């Protein structure tokens, strides 16, 4: 496919959506057509799935059920939005993708779901497709969660199902993102998100420019 698929990953409150907006502007100034999207909820049906996943009691279902729903959302997202945009040579920036399932449903839950099951689901829902670049924003969970809870105060519907999990869950998933990056250094870059919005944006522009020569 002719376009580029860049995913942003990280724990809660790491600033992904702000950085996606800034990178979107940067790429548009460079003459690219850009689609900014997210998981879960990058499509109309996906928004329904998102509600099931991020609202309500943290224990309403387990990691296996979550993984199935995230991959359902992902398959719809890819087939209805991401793949058609890439085929039209657009650059697609996604706020989360499959690394979040590995980090949250596997590492976050202390590996209570098997890695093989996640790999099988990936094959079914995604096939051999992968992001061209994954930017992992790394931040101490205490700092990220404080940002997330502050943001949620202004939300009519509280999307705090994962934020409500214990600190250990968030520490596990941060370690998980680190392991994902170590296993795939060609695709993944970890950036320190504990800096100003402008400084982090500059780091992201540097990574994107080096990788794609723009
Ligand atoms: P967001 O708040 O970054 O939009 O993401 C929604 C929540 O869903 C967030 O708490 C992370 C979680 N999540 C997973 O647990 N697994 C996944 O595969 C994805 C994409 C998100």
């Amino acid at each position: 496919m002719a376009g580029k698929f860049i995913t942003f990953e990280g724990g809660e409150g790491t600033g992904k959506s702000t950085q996606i907006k800034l990178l979107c502007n940067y790429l548009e100034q460079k003459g690219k057509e850009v689609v900014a999207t997210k998981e879960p909820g990058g499509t109309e049906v996906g928004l329904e799935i998102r509600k099931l996943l991020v609202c309500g009691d943290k224990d309403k279902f387990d990691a296996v059920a979550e993984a199935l729903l995230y991959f359902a959302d992902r398959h719809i997202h890819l087939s209805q939005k991401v793949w058609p945009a890439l085929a039209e040579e657009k650059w697609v920036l996604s706020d989360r993708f499959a690394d979040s399932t590995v980090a949250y449903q596997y590492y976050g839950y202390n590996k209570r779901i098997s890695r093989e099951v996640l790999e099988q689901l990936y094959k079914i829902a995604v096939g051999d497709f992968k992001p061209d670049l994954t930017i992992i924003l790394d931040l101490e969970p205490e700092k990220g969660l404080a940002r997330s809870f502050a943001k949620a105060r202004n939300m009519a519907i509280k999307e705090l199902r994962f934020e409500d999990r214990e600190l250990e869950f968030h520490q596990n998933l941060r370690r998980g993102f680190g392991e994902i990056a170590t296993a795939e250094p060609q695709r993944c870059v970890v950036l320190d998100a504990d800096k100003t919005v402008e400084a982090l944006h500059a780091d992201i522009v540097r990574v994107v420019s080096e990788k794609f020569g723009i």
Side-chain angles (χ1 to χ4, degrees):
M1 283 191 229
K4 300 286 176 225
F5 184 47
I6 304 176
T7 57
F8 282 72
E9 299 280 10
E12 305 298 333
T14 50
K16 297 183 298 331
S17 55
T18 305
Q19 292 300 330
I20 285 175
K21 275 188 210 128
L22 293 173
L23 183 62
C24 197
N25 293 343
Y26 173 84
L27 290 170
E28 280 172 354
Q29 278 164 16
K30 295 273 170 191
K32 306 292 178 199
E33 271 195 86
V34 188
V35 174
T37 187
K38 66 175 179 183
E39 289 192 2
T43 61
E44 210 173 303
V45 183
L47 282 172
E48 298 297 316
I49 301 175
R50 181 181 174 95
K51 271 186 233 152
L52 291 173
L53 282 163
V54 300
C55 299
D57 188 273
K58 67 179 171 49
D59 295 317
K60 69 180 179 180
F61 41 58
D62 64 9
V64 175
E66 283 172 16
L68 289 165
L69 286 166
Y70 279 113
F71 272 109
D73 169 73
R74 187 158 300 134
H75 180 74
I76 295 165
H77 185 217
L78 287 170
S79 48
Q80 293 187 1
K81 192 167 178 184
V82 177
W83 288 333
L86 292 175
E88 290 172 3
E89 303 195 9
K90 293 179 182 159
W91 287 51
V92 180
L93 311 183
S94 186
D95 188 339
R96 299 192 182 282
F97 188 61
D99 295 317
S100 276
T101 315
V102 176
Y104 278 77
Q105 278 66 50
Y106 178 70
Y107 289 104
Y109 285 100
N110 264 324
K111 308 182 180 176
R112 265 180 268 151
I113 179 173
S114 94
R115 198 63 196 262
E116 289 70 43
V117 167
L118 290 182
E119 278 160 19
Q120 282 167 8
L121 292 177
Y122 192 100
K123 268 265 171 258
I124 294 166
V126 184
D128 295 326
F129 176 75
K130 278 190 172 197
D132 296 290
L133 170 66
T134 295
I135 295 171
I136 297 173
L137 301 187
D138 180 60
L139 184 66
E140 272 171 45
E142 289 91 335
K143 289 190 182 168
L145 286 168
R147 286 187 193 170
S148 256
F149 281 115
K151 191 168 146 194
R153 270 188 228 122
N154 305 318
M155 282 181 186
I157 299 168
K158 307 281 182 229
E159 295 190 337
L160 292 172
R161 202 172 148 249
F162 287 93
E163 283 85 342
D164 280 344
R165 294 212 156 271
E166 60 282 10
L167 189 58
E168 191 196 349
F169 178 93
H170 296 279
Q171 285 161 342
N172 288 345
L173 72 90
R174 184 188 191 195
R175 262 196 303 279
F177 278 123
E179 288 186 24
I180 291 167
T182 305
E184 282 190 77
Q186 303 293 356
R187 173 174 69 84
C188 302
V189 176
V190 180
L191 296 178
D192 176 8
D194 195 7
K195 40 174 81 174
T196 64
V197 168
E198 296 76 21
L200 183 54
H201 173 59
D203 288 347
I204 291 172
V205 166
R206 182 180 38 77
V207 168
V208 170
S209 308
E210 276 170 15
K211 176 101 183 174
F212 304 112
I214 58 156

